[in-house]
């Protein structure tokens, strides 16, 4: 179906975006998190889309990054989580935060999403724990915004490599992710710098 749309923002609501592409206005359902990251009305933006078709409806769901779209696709494979539930989860946490919650078994964090109870949060963890990994974590929400990566892409790579190094040292995925996430990474830092700081947080 439609992989992405690039056009002018006509209107932004907490759960909906109107995007004009070649004189056609598209209603696109979005999360509150996406709404907060969008540029202003009149600006051009690229939105990755998921098409949901039912007998009585045809909906587009939009995301600023391919990473968010991919985690959304995985979320809606969980029994009891439809597109509305998937957006609810991504309204309270980023794709990286969700991966961290899944790998660390933090059902309480996921259950903060509207309409997502404790049992559903636990089901998300159970169903998706083997479908997310350190390699995918810390991709950075801004990397695909306007189709650019730059320094954010390097920071994401350094974070991944540091987390992988911690895992190779024998730490669990949740311990590695938690430690690396506590490090404030600047663009001039390399993997070794991040690894040293992450190890310090673990030895406090």
């Amino acid at each position: 179906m439609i992989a992405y749309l690039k056009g002018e923002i006509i209107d932004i609501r907490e759960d909906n975006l109107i995007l004009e592409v070649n004189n056609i206005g598209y209603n696109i359902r979005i999360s509150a998190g996406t709404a907060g990251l969008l540029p202003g009305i009149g600006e051009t933006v690229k939105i990755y889309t998921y098409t949901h078709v039912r007998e009585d409806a045809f909906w587009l769901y939009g995301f600023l990054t391919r990473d968010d779209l991919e985690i959304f696709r995985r979320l809606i494979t969980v029994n009891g989580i439809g597109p509305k539930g998937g957006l609810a989860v991504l309204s309270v946490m980023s794709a990286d935060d969700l991966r961290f919650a899944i790998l660390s078994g933090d059902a309480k964090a996921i259950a903060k999403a509207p309409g997502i109870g404790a049992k559903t949060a636990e089901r998300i963890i159970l169903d998706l724990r083997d479908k997310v990994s350190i390699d995918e974590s810390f991709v950075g929400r801004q990397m695909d915004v306007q189709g650019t990566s730059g320094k954010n892409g390097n920071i994401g790579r350094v974070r991944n490599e540091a987390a992988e190094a911690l895992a190779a040292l024998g730490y669990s995925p949740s311990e590695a992710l938690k430690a690396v996430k506590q490090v404030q990474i600047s663009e001039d830092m390399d993997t070794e710098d991040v690894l040293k700081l992450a190890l310090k947080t673990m030895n406090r």
Side-chain angles (χ1 to χ4, degrees), residues 146-161:
Q146 300 296 337
T148 63
S149 53
K151 65 181 182 182
N152 288 322
N154 182 63
I155 289 174
R157 177 186 59 78
V158 168
R159 279 175 169 160
N160 281 338
E161 290 176 355

Side-chain angles (χ1 to χ4, degrees), residues 1 17 29 31 33 35 42 78-79 102 123 146 163 182 184 187:
M1 299 297 286
L17 164 70
R29 292 193 168 185
S31 70
V78 177
N79 186 35
I102 291 170
R123 189 182 305 125
Q146 300 296 337
Q182 291 182 57
Q184 294 294 322
E187 58 181 298

Side-chain angles (χ1 to χ4, degrees), residues 112-140:
K112 291 179 181 178
I116 304 297
K119 289 185 178 180
T120 302
E122 290 170 0
R123 189 182 305 125
I124 290 172
I125 292 171
L126 182 63
D127 287 3
L128 299 185
R129 180 169 281 160
D130 293 334
K131 298 179 182 178
V132 299
S133 69
I134 288 177
D135 292 341
E136 297 175 314
S137 298
F138 304 112
V139 173

Side-chain angles (χ1 to χ4, degrees), residues 49-88:
T49 58
Y50 172 82
T51 306
H52 181 64
V53 180
R54 300 187 322 195
E55 290 184 3
D56 58 344
F58 182 100
W59 290 103
L60 285 175
Y61 291 82
F63 308 89
L64 277 171
T65 71
R66 285 169 290 190
D67 187 43
D68 282 348
L69 172 59
E70 179 57 31
I71 203 71
F72 174 80
R73 288 179 181 274
R74 296 183 191 183
L75 272 171
I76 62 177
T77 65
V78 177
N79 186 35
I81 300 289
K84 184 177 180 180
L87 280 190

Side-chain angles (χ1 to χ4, degrees), residues 156-187:
R157 177 186 59 78
V158 168
R159 279 175 169 160
N160 281 338
E161 290 176 355
E164 289 170 358
L166 286 172
L169 290 173
Y171 293 100
S172 70
S174 60
E175 288 173 329
L177 289 169
K178 184 176 181 180
V180 173
K181 192 164 186 179
Q182 291 182 57
V183 177
Q184 294 294 322
I185 304 175
S186 60
E187 58 181 298

